[in-house]
Structures are given as C-alpha cells and as structure tokens.
Amino acid sequence: MEILLSVILGFMIIGAIYALHANDLLSAVIAQGIVGYGLVICFLHLRAPDLAIVQIVVETITLIIMVAVVLDSSRKELKTPAGWKGSVNVILGLVFIGFMIYFFDMATASLDVFGEHTLRMSQTYIEQGAQKTGAANLVTGVLWDFRGYDTLGEATILFTAALGVLTVLRMKGKK
Amino acid sequence: MKGLTPIVKKVAQLMSGIICIYGIYIVVHGHLTPGGAFAGGIILAGAFILLILAFGSEVIKLRKEETGSSMSESIAILGTLILATVGLLVGSKVFFHNYLPKGTIGELVSAGAVPIYNILIGIEVAAAIITIFLALIIFKEEEEQR
Amino acid sequence: MTVYFMCFFLFLVGLYGIVTRRNLIKIVISFTIMEFSVFLFFALIGYVENGVAPILTKNLPENPVFVDPLPQAMVLTAIVIGLATSAMLLAIAIRLYKKYGTFDIREINNLRG
C-alpha cells in the first residue's frame, strides 16, 4: 500500500511542479487537475469513499471556474526578468522550506507508524457510534451527531464565502 | 451569454435530469451509503452548472435565479439552526441533541434528525456553489456590455 | 513513513509557489495544492492496515477493523470549504485584472490609486 501511494504521490508532485513552471496559464490549470484527480485515487485506496466522491466533483467544478477565469482574462505567464529581487525571493523560500523540513522531522516522531493508527476517542466512535446515532455510515454519524458544532461552523464559512464573492463582484469601483 | 448548438442542448437536458436524481439519492441516503450532504449538494450544483453552460441566458433572468439561490441558501442554514436549537429545549438540553427516535440501523427512515440535517445542508451547499458560479457569470456579462 | 514525507513535500511545493510566483492565478493554484496535501495528510493518519471503509453493511467480514472515521469527517467539510475559498480568491483576482489589466502583483502594487 505504501509503495502504491508513493508512486501516485510522485506523479502528483511532478504535476504540481509543472503547474508552477508552465508558460501558459491554461496548461498550469490543467496540471493542477493532475494533483486533484491523483488525490481521488489516493482517497479510494485509503478506504475513504465519501472523500473520493466529494473530491472528484469539487475538482471538476474548480477546473471549470479556473478555465473560465483564465479564458476571460489573459493566458500568458508574465515574463520574469531574473533580477536580484527574484533570486532573493527564491533563496528565502528555500531557507524557509529547510526550516519547515527540520520541524516536520521533529513532529513526525510523535506520530504512529503508517497503517497502525490508534486513537482513544475514535475507538469509542467506532464501537458505539452506530448504536448512539442510528446511522449506518459512521462518517455521517460523527459529522452530524458527535461533531455537530464543527459542521455548523463549516457551513457558516461556506455561507460567508458565498457572501464574500457576491460583495467582491458587486462592489462599484471608485471613478 | 449565447447558448450552444441544439445537439448539445438536448444532451445536456437529458443528462442533467439523471445527474439531479443521482444527487438527490446521495443526499437522502447519506446516513446509509457513502456520500451525504456535502457530496450530494455539489453534484446537484454540478447539474445546474451544466444547464447554465449549455443553454446560456439573459442577464436579467440570471439575476432572478441568483436571488432565488441565495434566498434558499439562507433559509436552509436558518432551518439547520432552528433544528439544532430545538435540541437545546428538548430532552437532555444539549445543542445538536439528536432527539428524534433512532429506528433500526440500515433503514431509510432511521438515525433521528441526521437525514433532516443532511437534506437542509445539501440544499445549502448546492445553493452556495450555484450562487458563486452565477455571480462570476453575471460579472463577466456586465463587463462585456460596458 | 516515506508517505508522510512525500505528502509534506507536496505541501512544500505549494508553499514555494506562494512565496516565489508573482502571477495571481499561479498563487491560487499553489494555494489549492497546499490544501490538497493537508487533506491527504489527514486521510493518511486515519488509515489502518487491512481496514474497511467505516460503513456498516450486511456483508462485512468477520471482526472488521474500521478505518478511523474522525479525520474523514473533518476533511469532508474542509474540501467543500476549499472550493468556496478558492472561488473567492479567483473572484478577487478577476476583479483586480479588470481594474489594472494585469495579474502581476508587483505591478498592481506600483499602480496603486
């Protein structure tokens, strides 16, 4: 399982790096689709069918919106002259990434080995979740019964994001 | 926005009905099978986006649709809040308390209030995504007219 | 453990894009890549070897080991939020393009007013 996931993740990383360096914005958007659809396959192999269904539709709609925006404006990537500012940016980014790798290495020490996961709280959810909520799909049970507050908050964020889009696009600019 | 050719229109008409039924199935069976409110809501939104892309529409008609979708979004989230607040007044006085009878596991009418939350949030998610999409399209149309 | 590191590497690719790119659309793309890597990390943490999906059906194997449903429930909502937030970023980007005629953030900074 680990080898299969590593291969798919390798493809996703190649797609992500290509998306950042493409000269045409349309091909960058499509290369971002590699990452999204690779994620769907990963979710299916990780036994998460709920996530796979959501992700495949979300990725399609994201691509539709991004392609519409890119076609409506300009497709050309900016010509970046290799000035000293650009190289300072790249060097700062690499130093930052080095720090992040160091801290991630420290943080993974406390994680379980991949595939041997145990969590005290989840044991209760798995053993008694079906009796307590009456839902056969344990994910929905957790979502709407044990963690109802969280889900209400996320629904509120969705509402706020829709309001934000309306506000940004309806605003009349200064003349 | 102009629509596409008649062949595309007919195929979109036939497909969007099937996609709509599939989305409703996923929302209603959310507590039994994979899926649920978020997945089904986005599939419903996808069916409407397909119709809008295939048929195109006048800006005035799109504005009317946008008002409807943002209204149904607000009403759905208000319904969720009311349903959750009733749990505060009934039974063990807990917000989001599942006070309806549970039924047997595996039947369509079971799990208390979970299917009702699923349906309400399904409407909310679908309406939010449609609102965002319509806002982008109306912005584009208005810029072209100017 | 290699899977965790590769997932984190995907996160770093997105971070590098946000820090170094100047095009607004590229920044939105890097943002979505970072989001995806976080979703994948949650799903990886919840995985149990030889587990089954956390859904009770009639034909389950004897003594099933379920995959952890808690990270899946967290990610399920976050994916939809990710769509809404990236749509909002794109709305801001297209608004800026219509006003200034470019996606370059440095140029927009110079042209302010």
Side-chain angles (χ1 to χ4, degrees):
Chain A
M1 178 55 78
E2 224 175 332
I3 297 167
L4 179 74
L5 283 177
S6 305
V7 172
I8 299 171
L9 261 169
F11 278 118
M12 284 162 69
I13 290 171
I14 293 171
I17 291 175
Y18 181 73
L20 294 186
H21 289 278
N23 276 327
D24 190 349
L25 281 185
L26 197 58
S27 52
V29 168
I30 291 166
Q32 189 255 352
I34 298 175
V35 185
Y37 291 119
L39 191 59
V40 176
I41 303 171
C42 286
F43 280 155
L44 277 181
H45 282 291
L46 290 169
R47 309 284 190 279
D50 306 80
L51 300 185
I53 293 175
V54 178
Q55 176 63 31
I56 197 164
V57 190
V58 161
E59 184 55 37
T60 313
I61 293 180
T62 313
L63 278 186
I64 291 174
I65 294 178
M66 278 195 180
V67 168
V69 167
V70 167
L71 288 184
D72 192 27
S73 47
S74 85
R75 283 173 60 166
K76 285 204 196 79
E77 165 68 322
L78 314 160
K79 284 191 231 63
T80 44
W84 63 274
K85 258 186 179 174
S87 37
V88 164
N89 263 0
V90 171
I91 291 167
L92 273 182
L94 290 177
V95 167
F96 195 49
I97 282 170
F99 268 112
M100 294 287 280
I101 287 178
Y102 175 67
F103 287 121
F104 184 74
D105 198 28
M106 274 166 53
T108 42
S110 65
L111 281 178
D112 293 328
V113 184
F114 175 68
E116 297 169 13
H117 165 77
T118 46
L119 201 66
R120 191 164 44 85
M121 195 165 54
S122 307
Q123 286 306 316
T124 318
Y125 285 166
I126 290 172
E127 279 158 15
Q128 301 165 12
Q131 279 79 39
K132 278 190 177 169
T133 64
N137 186 348
L138 291 179
V139 177
T140 312
V142 171
L143 204 63
W144 284 118
D145 202 306
F146 299 117
R147 296 249 150 215
Y149 258 132
D150 289 359
T151 316
L152 183 67
E154 308 251 1
T156 318
I157 295 173
L158 190 63
F159 183 69
T160 317
L163 278 186
V165 171
L166 281 181
T167 316
V168 167
L169 293 182
R170 283 298 136 71
M171 214 163 40
K172 291 279 179 289
K174 275 187 294 188
K175 284 282 142 48
Chain B
M1 190 170 72
K2 281 212 313 276
L4 298 171
T5 56
I7 301 172
V8 179
K9 278 185 185 173
K10 200 71 205 173
V11 172
Q13 226 172 8
L14 292 174
M15 288 305 295
S16 69
I18 298 171
I19 297 173
C20 230
I21 290 173
Y22 179 62
I24 292 171
Y25 165 81
I26 285 204
V27 170
V28 173
H29 285 245
H31 55 299
L32 303 177
T33 52
F38 290 89
I42 291 191
I43 291 173
L44 278 175
F48 279 100
I49 286 176
L50 175 67
L51 274 184
I52 294 167
L53 285 179
F55 278 79
S57 202
E58 301 285 316
V59 177
I60 302 168
K61 208 173 151 222
L62 284 175
R63 277 226 187 91
K64 211 182 281 173
E65 283 173 9
E66 193 191 23
T67 318
S69 67
S70 83
M71 283 253 290
S72 55
E73 184 189 356
S74 318
I75 290 171
I77 203 162
L78 186 67
T80 315
L81 266 177
I82 289 172
L83 202 62
T85 316
V86 170
L88 197 61
L89 308 175
V90 182
S92 59
K93 315 272 192 242
V94 181
F95 198 55
F96 266 100
H97 175 57
N98 197 348
Y99 48 90
L100 293 176
K102 301 279 176 354
T104 51
I105 296 169
E107 282 182 10
L108 185 57
V109 181
S110 66
V114 172
I116 306 173
Y117 285 130
N118 262 340
I119 291 169
L120 284 173
I121 290 295
I123 294 170
E124 201 255 332
V125 170
I129 304 293
I130 294 170
T131 310
I132 290 172
F133 191 76
L134 282 175
L136 283 167
I137 280 195
I138 292 173
F139 179 72
K140 185 177 170 230
E141 293 292 309
E142 282 178 348
E143 286 292 318
E144 271 171 16
Q145 277 176 7
R146 218 171 273 166
Chain C
M1 270 304 170
T2 48
V3 187
Y4 288 154
F5 269 103
M6 289 188 81
C7 186
F8 188 66
F9 191 74
L10 192 64
F11 181 84
L12 290 181
V13 170
L15 191 67
Y16 175 80
I18 286 190
V19 174
T20 59
R21 298 293 115 178
R22 294 192 308 168
N23 194 321
L24 276 172
I25 300 286
K26 288 264 173 99
I27 290 176
V28 177
I29 289 173
S30 332
F31 188 79
T32 39
I33 288 170
M34 274 171 80
E35 255 174 7
F36 287 166
S37 75
V38 173
F39 301 156
L40 184 59
F41 193 71
F42 268 64
L44 283 174
I45 284 180
Y47 181 69
V48 181
E49 198 69 46
N50 297 321
V52 293
I55 295 162
L56 301 177
T57 47
K58 289 199 179 86
N59 42 11
L60 275 176
E62 296 261 326
N63 293 328
V65 183
F66 287 117
V67 172
D68 193 350
L70 184 60
Q72 293 193 14
M74 304 265 110
V75 174
L76 186 66
T77 50
I79 291 175
V80 182
I81 306 300
L83 171 62
T85 45
S86 51
M88 178 153 174
L89 286 177
L90 283 170
I92 294 172
I94 192 125
R95 184 84 204 189
L96 283 173
Y97 182 84
K98 287 282 147 78
K99 183 154 186 189
Y100 295 109
T102 175
F103 274 135
D104 192 339
I105 43 171
R106 211 172 294 164
E107 203 132 309
I108 291 171
N109 244 349
N110 293 340
L111 290 175
R112 188 187 298 142

